Amino acid sequence: MSETLVINELYLSIQGESTFAGLPCIFIRLTACNLRCSYCDTAYAFTEGKKWPLSAVLAEVRRLAAPFEIQIPKSDSTAPSVAPFRRLPLVELTGGEPLLQANSLPLMKSLCDDEFSVLVETSGAIDISSVDPRVHRIMDLKCPSSGEAERNRWENLQHLRSADQIKFVIGTQEDYEWARARIANYNLASLCPILFSWVMLLQPHQQYQSLRKIPAGQTPISRLELVEKTIADALPVRFQLQMHKFIWPPDQRGV
């Protein structure tokens, strides 16, 4: 393949979020993003990166995955499948915003052809309809405190399937009320699993000047408050923390 992608980092770790949390995962972090969310913890990926041929990306994924080959036995075709993946490790494209680079699409197709379970983390501001249907799309709906709520592409909802996931990143009371209303108004629970992710405060060196400011007048929400509200309102959501930030330092890269 002669096509290339600009990649910020490529590494093996564990999946820290989503319904796949805790599983081994190869992360392909692509460079560039068209949003500047107030809480972004990977702003270094806006500009840092190197060109990789797609063939080299595939080769590196296969190399990292090789030790897992003998650990997943072929399933009995007569038995019901209980695992949400075809083989380990998972492979996730993230960013930045991975869908900004057109060659992310053929890469995901090739990874699916290799029988990897592929995830893509996308902001929800870009059309997701061209993503290979075998890919699990984990799509944000940007809440008010992100400063980017006006960029949500609501047309994407019609393309979501049960294998996809919707994520709300919640940092304020206003975010919670906004998310609760969208879940009801769009009947989101009928589409796919819904994730509530609490905002962890950025370290001083992570607070890039280009990030949006939290709109004035918003009230922070704690993890406890978010969980208690979710339970009190009987919302059909999965609360999550970024697991990797509790295993490693919260600002450590490559994990």
Side-chain angles (χ1 to χ4, degrees):
M1 296 181 182
S2 59
E3 297 92 343
T4 61
L5 285 167
V6 182
I7 293 179
N8 176 269
E9 53 187 354
L10 197 166
Y11 58 91
L12 173 64
S13 184
I14 62 164
Q15 177 57 245
E17 303 181 72
S18 79
T19 63
F20 295 92
L23 292 172
C25 185
I26 296 170
F27 291 89
I28 305 171
R29 186 179 305 284
L30 276 66
T31 299
C33 188
N34 57 328
L35 303 185
R36 293 293 182 269
C37 298
S38 63
Y39 48 71
C40 181
D41 57 0
T42 54
Y44 57 85
F46 292 164
T47 56
E48 299 175 15
K50 295 181 180 179
K51 282 188 177 181
W52 285 55
L54 263 64
S55 57
V57 178
L58 287 168
E60 179 63 4
V61 169
R62 290 165 182 156
R63 184 190 70 81
L64 292 171
F68 293 84
E69 287 291 328
I70 61 173
Q71 297 185 25
I72 304 298
K74 294 293 184 181
S75 61
D76 181 350
S77 61
T78 65
S81 174
V82 295
F85 48 83
R86 292 187 293 276
R87 64 184 287 195
L88 289 177
L90 308 170
V91 181
E92 176 175 296
L93 276 71
T94 185
E97 170 51 67
L99 297 185
L100 279 179
Q101 297 192 48
N103 281 331
S104 65
L105 299 177
L107 174 62
M108 286 186 279
K109 180 182 184 304
S110 295
L111 290 166
C112 289
D113 290 345
D114 269 5
E115 296 191 344
F116 284 105
S117 289
V118 181
L119 323 177
V120 61
E121 283 264 6
T122 180
S123 67
I126 295 178
D127 183 8
I128 65 171
S129 63
S130 297
V131 175
D132 190 293
R134 295 170 291 180
V135 172
H136 300 270
R137 296 169 293 192
I138 301 170
M139 190 190 81
D140 276 22
L141 285 176
K142 298 298 184 184
C143 296
S145 77
S146 70
E148 296 284 17
E150 298 302 318
R151 305 289 291 278
N152 287 314
R153 183 184 174 93
W154 296 101
E155 300 91 332
N156 277 334
L157 294 179
Q158 65 185 309
H159 301 301
L160 292 172
R161 301 158 297 114
S162 59
D164 299 321
Q165 300 176 33
I166 296 170
K167 180 171 72 172
F168 293 91
V169 179
I170 296 177
T172 66
Q173 303 282 350
E174 291 74 18
D175 286 350
Y176 176 81
E177 296 301 332
W178 187 92
R180 184 177 67 166
R182 270 61 189 179
I183 290 169
N185 293 345
Y186 290 95
N187 193 20
L188 297 183
S190 70
L191 301 178
C192 61
I194 301 169
L195 311 171
F196 270 13
S197 188
W198 179 74
V199 174
M200 181 172 285
L201 295 178
L202 298 177
Q203 301 290 320
H205 66 276
Q206 296 176 301
Q207 297 171 2
Y208 283 60
Q209 290 299 311
S210 63
L211 299 182
R212 300 283 189 189
K213 303 300 181 186
I214 298 174
Q218 299 215 6
T219 305
I221 190 169
S222 69
R223 287 176 293 191
L224 178 59
E225 289 174 315
L226 177 54
V227 170
E228 289 182 338
K229 282 178 172 289
T230 299
I231 293 171
D233 291 335
L235 296 188
V237 306
R238 176 189 294 259
F239 175 78
Q240 64 175 16
L241 297 171
Q242 294 174 295
M243 184 185 296
H244 48 289
K245 292 187 177 181
F246 292 86
I247 300 171
W248 293 280
D251 60 343
Q252 185 166 324
R253 300 190 190 185
V255 296

